[in-house]
């Protein structure tokens, strides 16, 4: 079924979540099966969602073809194509720091820039994503705008890099603003660069890191770009978290604590922003007809698709290939505990984990097919 008129201001918002972003691909594959020629003219992404967003925005084929290609790339994405443990830099740095500490002197050496090297991911994306396709999609009207968000360490703000129609106005709000320009691989890499885990990326003489860190309003970029309807894919299962079967009084390991932090950074903001948008829509509906409002105040329809299972729990017991050095580091952090699965799920780029995620996303979207159809065709 071809949907054109109803999708003129439809936006797709893809949030972060490391390897969990494979779930987004499953949801999109179901939508592509329902609407092979669907046009989504506004695409925004952050962190791992920036990878999916850049691929879709740059693909010059139809929606079904683009999603199929994205699914194929995720099928061959394994950890050594995403990151490598910086053994040659981390171990000598730690050793020198210990020696200097024992001798009571300051090392004066620069801090380690990231425990994991992202150059494998850069090489992988260079092979499979041709960002020049964004210009072609803008020229033929398939796309209105594509936007990727990153965190500016110097400005301490979320910066959304926008490539789109010249008619789109840039914005500036508290600790978040936009910049117009052509999107590059550096923008994608900056958006996914988790602090301390990955090295920051230098853009225009400033350093940037993962866009989820300070992004308190993940839906805002798509709204600023003119969206009237938004499809957003959450990484959080609907309902309260499952209670542990047995009370465990063991002190949480570093990996467990990182899992909590990662969930807060990558998951919580989208849910909070969705609730905020729902409240604003409720207020706008209560305003009498004919009341003069600012042009920026308008009702926005939102379809939030959530997983039916906990994506972190799905990582429990899954074996995936990593270097011996990284495996040792993970064990030292307590990453082999069951409760550390949340943390590991972000790093588990392996078909043993990502394929079940894509399958779950497909099933969840198909289970909501009537709601999706009603939303798109309304």
């Amino acid at each position: 079924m071809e949907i054109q008129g109803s999708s003129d201001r439809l936006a797709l918002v893809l949030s972060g979540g490391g390897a969990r972003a494979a779930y987004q691909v499953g949801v999109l594959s179901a939508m592509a099966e329902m609407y092979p020629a669907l046009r989504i003219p506004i695409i925004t992404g952050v962190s791992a969602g920036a990878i999916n967003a850049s691929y879709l925005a740059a693909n010059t084929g139809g929606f079904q073809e683009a999603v199929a290609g994205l699914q194929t790339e995720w099928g061959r994405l394994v950890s050594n194509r995403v990151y490598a443990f910086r053994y040659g830099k981390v171990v000598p740095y730690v050793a020198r720091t210990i020696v200097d500490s024992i001798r009571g002197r300051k090392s004066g050496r620069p801090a380690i820039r990231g425990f994991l090297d992202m150059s494998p991911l850069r090489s992988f994306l260079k092979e499979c994503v041709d960002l020049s396709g964004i210009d072609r999609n803008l020229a033929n009207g398939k796309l209105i705008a594509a936007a990727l968000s990153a965190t500016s360490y110097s400005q301490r703000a979320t910066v959304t890099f926008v490539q789109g129609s010249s008619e789109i106005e840039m914005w500036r709000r508290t600790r978040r603003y936009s910049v117009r320009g052509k999107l590059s691989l550096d923008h994608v890499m900056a958006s996914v660069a988790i602090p301390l885990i990955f090295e920051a990326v230098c853009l225009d003489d400033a350093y940037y890191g993962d866009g989820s860190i300070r992004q308190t309003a993940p839906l805002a970029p798509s709204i600023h770009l003119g969206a009237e309807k938004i499809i957003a894919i959450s990484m959080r299962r609907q309902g309260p978290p499952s209670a542990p079967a047995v009370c465990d009084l063991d002190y949480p390991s570093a990996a467990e604590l990182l899992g909590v932090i990662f969930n807060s950074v990558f998951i919580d903001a989208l849910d909070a922003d969705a609730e905020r948008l729902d409240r604003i829509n409720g207020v706008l509906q209560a305003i009498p007809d004919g009341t003069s409002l600012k042009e920026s105040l308008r009702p926005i329809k939102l379809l939030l698709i959530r997983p039916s299972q906990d994506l972190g729990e799905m990582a429990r017991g899954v074996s995936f290939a990593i270097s011996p050095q990284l495996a040792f580091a993970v064990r030292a952090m307590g990453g082999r505990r069951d409760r550390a699965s949340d943390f590991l799920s972000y790093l588990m780029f392996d078909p043993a984990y990502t394929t079940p995620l894509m399958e779950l996303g497909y099933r969840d979207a198909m289970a909501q097919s009537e709601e999706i159809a009603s939303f798109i065709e309304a």
Side-chain angles (χ1 to χ4, degrees), residues 108-146:
R109 297 183 178 89
I112 192 73
R113 294 191 171 192
F115 291 97
L116 299 180
D117 179 8
M118 281 201 305
S119 57
L121 178 61
R122 176 182 286 272
S123 298
F124 179 84
L125 294 177
K126 193 173 182 179
E127 291 176 6
C128 64
V129 182
D130 180 8
L131 291 173
S132 65
I134 295 178
D135 270 337
R136 294 194 290 274
N137 288 333
L138 288 169
N140 62 29
K142 176 183 174 183
L143 198 64
I144 292 175

Side-chain angles (χ1 to χ4, degrees), residues 96-110:
R96 287 195 302 265
T97 302
I98 293 173
V99 170
D100 289 341
S101 177
I102 293 173
R103 292 178 177 177
R105 68 186 185 190
K106 295 182 179 179
S107 67
R109 297 183 178 89

Side-chain angles (χ1 to χ4, degrees), residues 44 67 99 147 167 190 213 215 227 235 252 270 274 290 307 363 365:
T44 70
V67 172
V99 170
E167 298 176 358
I213 303 169
Q215 194 180 52
M235 303 292 179
L270 178 58
R363 292 196 304 271

Side-chain angles (χ1 to χ4, degrees), residues 137-177:
N137 288 333
L138 288 169
N140 62 29
K142 176 183 174 183
L143 198 64
I144 292 175
L148 307 178
S149 297
T151 299
S152 168
Y153 291 140
S154 59
Q155 297 293 323
R156 296 175 175 82
T158 299
V159 181
T160 300
F161 298 97
V162 178
Q163 183 173 350
S165 167
S166 59
E167 298 176 358
I168 295 174
E169 294 183 7
M170 297 296 98
W171 64 90
R172 182 173 289 272
R173 299 291 186 270
T174 303
R175 297 296 181 189
R176 55 186 175 92
Y177 61 94

Side-chain angles (χ1 to χ4, degrees), residues 45-51 148-151 161 185-194 201 203 208-212 266:
V46 63
S47 193
I51 297 174
L148 307 178
S149 297
T151 299
F161 298 97
L185 189 54
D186 283 339
H187 293 106
V188 182
M189 299 304 296
S191 187
V192 304
I194 303 172
V201 176
L203 284 167
Y208 291 83
D210 196 294
S212 297
F266 296 114

